[in-house]
Amino acid sequence: MRVGIIGAGQLARMMLEDASALGIAATVLADAPDDGAAQTCADVIIGAAADEAGVRMLASRCDVLTLDHELVDLALLSRLESEGVVVHPPTEALRFAVDKAEMRRHLGAAGLPMPNHAILEPGEASDLAALGTQLGWPLVIKAARGGYDGKGVFVVEDPEAAAATIDDLHRAGITALVEEAVAIDHELAALVARRADGQIVAWPVVETAQVGGVCREVVIPGVLSPEVAAHAEQIAREVAELVGVVGVMAVELFATHDGLVINELAMRPHNSGHWTQDGSVTSQFENHLRAVLGLPLGATEVTAAAVASINVFGGDDAVDLDEALHRALAEPRAHVHLYGKTPRPGRKLGHVTVVGDNGAEVRAAAWTAAVALGTPVPAEMEVEIR
Ligand code: ADP
């Protein structure tokens, strides 16, 4: 079996590790030869995710196409599907991860819980003062397509700022999703894997500690009540069934004092699930491959009492990662996962996971290794370094 991955970032790179273990061959479609997964894959096609010739070459070599990111050309993938190419997740599902407005419409029609919102297509005018009064100021305005890590999310305080932001999006031909600013108690991620025949497995729901729209850490056990976690998992299972995803899907949710609302969907392995590599019976990367290839899905239980996974970011000071690795691995329990990227301030370079008996201990150990790799500790977080 050969799997073709559109995009060659860190998610593809980590899928390749599990593909190797299972004896599955892989080809990646990479923007550049130094992309994370292009560095480690034996078969690389250079081309953009929307480059028809590149995607067709990938399809011709592989049994199934899957993806590393959602900045793909849906129309192209849909044409390939009609020609018999297997794309997992199928474009009928993928469109709800690619386009937040489509996702809000579809999940809203099914009665799933979501923030109050309005969808403004390019060319569509709206009374923003009235909309602001209805949803409450400030408003959260999002690019329906193309955003990631909080890029494409804007908080606006008044009708003038809202109009300027929406105009910018509309001029670029992008639909604006206008949402109420949710009073968030916790941001959660519910991770599932689904096969084409409908089998679904779910990992434990986690809280994602976010700073500036970027996940910084996941710690198990977290502070979520079993009831909230169970509800989040049930929502994720319902969404997976409703959209017909094949592969791994993360449902990002906000927990508020009124209950859960869905923020967005990711149809690929997700940053909130990197802990599964070292802390679960089956990693999200392995189950993604199993799901897209129609293999039986693996068990998703946590294998220890506590797991902490901390993202590694570039800081302002230049760090030699080879040298920093010596310091990070002085923490003997640290599982270091680096993505093959050159450090730059704010760039996500990898993650460190520690598994053990005690939440506070594994968190401190993982942070110690992440800081040794140059990760700045955000002012918003309290962190114990050994
Ligand atoms: P991206 O697709 O770039 O990850 P998200 O839609 O996940 O963007 O939004 C990024 C972050 O912005 C979220 O993690 C959350 O902290 C905040 N956010 C998004 N939507 C809302 C909202 N309606 N109310 C309050 N905060 C929000």
Side-chain angles (χ1 to χ4, degrees), residues 100 115 140 142 147-151 153 179-182 184 187 210 213 252 254 263-264:
K100 293 178 185 183
V140 179
K142 300 181 180 183
Y148 65 95
D149 277 355
K151 296 173 183 69
V153 177
E179 298 184 348
E180 66 172 312
V182 175
I184 302 171
E187 298 202 26
Q210 309 261 342
E252 298 181 11
F254 299 144
N263 178 33
E264 64 169 343

Side-chain angles (χ1 to χ4, degrees), residues 6 35 48 156 177 220 302 341:
I6 300 173
D35 283 0
V156 296
L177 173 61
I220 297 170
V302 189
K341 295 183 186 174

Side-chain angles (χ1 to χ4, degrees), residues 265-281:
L265 312 181
M267 292 187 194
R268 46 165 173 76
H270 190 248
N271 193 183
S272 69
H274 290 353
W275 67 270
T276 60
Q277 290 171 307
D278 302 299
S280 175
V281 177

